[in-house]
Amino acid sequence: MTALFEHSPWVEARADARPSSGDRHADLMAVLYAAAPAEQLALIRAHPELAGKAAVDRTLTQASAAEQASAGLDRLSPEDYAHFHALNAAYRERFDFPFIICVRLTDKAGILRAMESRLANDRDTEIAAALAEIGRIVRLRLEDMA
């Protein structure tokens, strides 16, 4: 079974404990947005870096590995890998969490453009962007399960 949220079963558990609206995605996102800021950050930090160490040493979750492969991140040239590594490091240094984007809705070039442009954002904007991207990821994972 695919985990909807990276290493964060609490989101689904809390949604299951509440009355359903009939829209699973909306119910899950309501839980996410109602969570304490520290819980939201923990969820963001549970995501792997794109084309990062977890991709190389094959410790990604099955869902993340497939998603990164869909954008070609499992077939990077040494130059592309170095570029991703540098951007990941700059992003983590600036925001203290990994860059998150729904890779299934873009490609390698789009991911790189987003990484570069989002480095100019402030931290609150990036937390909001990460949560929105997690919502896109979860929507696609739910569709896959249907």
Side-chain angles (χ1 to χ4, degrees):
M1 180 168 161
T2 299
L4 295 175
F5 293 86
E6 294 286 319
H7 307 292
S8 303
W10 61 267
V11 180
E12 290 179 77
R14 287 185 195 170
D16 291 344
R18 300 166 82 175
S20 173
S21 70
D23 180 338
R24 180 69 169 162
H25 184 262
D27 293 346
L28 291 165
M29 295 310 293
V31 167
L32 179 58
Y33 284 115
E39 292 173 311
Q40 292 174 342
L41 271 176
L43 171 62
I44 292 168
R45 288 180 177 137
H47 282 73
E49 287 186 342
L50 298 178
K53 179 182 180 297
V56 173
D57 66 16
R58 307 226 186 272
T59 58
L60 289 175
T61 63
Q62 184 176 1
S64 286
E67 289 160 357
Q68 290 198 28
S70 77
L73 301 185
D74 61 336
R75 301 176 302 278
L76 296 176
S77 69
E79 295 79 18
D80 286 339
Y81 180 78
H83 193 188
F84 268 95
H85 182 73
L87 287 170
N88 278 329
Y91 189 92
R92 188 172 286 279
E93 174 69 26
R94 177 155 170 74
F95 300 112
D96 194 31
F97 52 80
F99 175 81
I100 299 175
I101 190 168
C102 183
V103 298
R104 288 170 56 185
L105 297 178
T106 189
D107 59 14
K108 180 180 69 171
I111 295 165
L112 289 170
R113 279 192 304 275
M115 289 177 91
E116 290 165 351
S117 69
R118 285 174 47 189
L119 272 167
N121 290 340
D122 62 52
R123 193 165 192 266
D124 288 342
T125 299
E126 274 309 292
I127 289 171
L131 294 175
E133 291 296 327
I134 289 168
R136 290 180 186 95
I137 293 165
V138 168
R139 180 175 301 284
L140 292 174
R141 289 179 179 179
L142 281 168
E143 289 172 6
D144 290 346
M145 295 168 69

